[in-house]
């Protein structure tokens, strides 16, 4: 074997040994993430949805409110907190809710106001006379008059409830009567029941409470 061949073999052997002992370079690691994009935030850490509060009134009158379920607020001096003589402009605040105005056009001296739940004025209404609350009335049997009278009761039943206090007057248009009852406490309020006849079996068709002269207006504001 020639000297040159031996030298080349020795060099190759040393190179191989050196390569085996050389350290292996570490693979590059990704830089740590410090700012995670908003869209990658897990749902559990996302902010809660904003809660929208119900709209409230800004004019001092409650929205969509009022004593809608109350049917026993009748008094000889008014209805609930709405007392006779209060200005029409203050009716909603006293009532605690919205009131619709009916028949005011062309007759501001006499018109009606009704709660929003009233389907027709005859069900329940407030009468305004000369700018002030003067009377309320109903043709519904759902309401109770001062003293306990109701639409549908007989004249005989009314006579027992208001014994000795009834003034009978003939009805203007029918064979019935107006049963007129003054405030037992001495106030100015008057309760009037209308009947469809004169006998004890005659039925009450409607009733109203108010101040004179409005409480005796047979045609209302007509």
């Amino acid at each position: 074997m020639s000297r040159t061949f031996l030298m080349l073999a020795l060099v190759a052997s040393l190179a191989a040994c050196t390569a085996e002992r050389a350290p292996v370079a570490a693979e590059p690691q990704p830089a740590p993430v410090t700012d995670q994009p908003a869209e990658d935030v897990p749902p559990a850490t996302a902010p809660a949805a904003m809660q929208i509060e119900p709209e409230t009134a800004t004019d001092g009158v409650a929205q969509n409110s009022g004593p809608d379920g109350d049917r026993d607020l009748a008094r000889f001096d008014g209805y609930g907190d709405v007392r006779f003589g209060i200005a029409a402009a203050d009716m909603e605040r006293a009532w605690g809710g919205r009131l619709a105005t009916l028949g005011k056009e062309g007759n501001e001296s006499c018109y009606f106001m009704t709660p929003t739940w009233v389907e027709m004025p005859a069900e329940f209404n407030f009468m305004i006379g000369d700018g002030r609350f003067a009377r309320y009335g109903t043709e519904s049997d759902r309401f109770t008059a001062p003293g306990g009278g109701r639409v549908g009761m007989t004249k005989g039943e009314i006579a027992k409830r208001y014994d000795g206090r009834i003034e009978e007057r003939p009805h203007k248009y029918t064979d019935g009567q107006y049963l007129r009852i003054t405030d037992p406490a001495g106030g100015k309020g008057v309760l009037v029941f209308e009947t469809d006849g004169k006998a004890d079996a005659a039925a009450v068709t409607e009733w109203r409470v108010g101040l004179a002269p409005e409480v005796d207006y047979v045609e209302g504001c007509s």
Side-chain angles (χ1 to χ4, degrees), residues 50-113:
M50 181 181 296
Q51 299 296 321
I52 300 176
E53 296 296 330
E55 184 178 357
T56 56
T58 58
D59 59 359
V61 177
Q63 301 289 329
N64 301 319
S65 63
D68 294 354
D70 293 325
R71 299 292 186 270
D72 301 308
L73 300 179
R75 305 164 53 104
F76 273 95
D77 61 353
Y79 193 81
D81 292 331
V82 189
R83 305 299 173 82
F84 294 133
I86 189 174
D90 297 327
M91 290 279 290
E92 286 188 335
R93 194 174 302 278
W95 174 248
R98 297 297 185 189
L99 295 172
T101 300
L102 306 172
K104 186 177 181 180
E105 298 79 5
N107 189 13
E108 294 192 4
S109 64
C110 186
Y111 59 92
F112 294 94
M113 301 179 78

Side-chain angles (χ1 to χ4, degrees), residues 37 41 46 49 57 60 68 76 78 129 150 159 214-215:
V41 177
D68 294 354
F76 273 95
R150 285 177 178 267
E214 288 87 354
V215 73

Side-chain angles (χ1 to χ4, degrees), residues 10-26:
L10 179 60
V11 171
S13 177
L14 290 173
C17 291
T18 303
E20 289 178 357
R21 292 193 298 268
V24 178

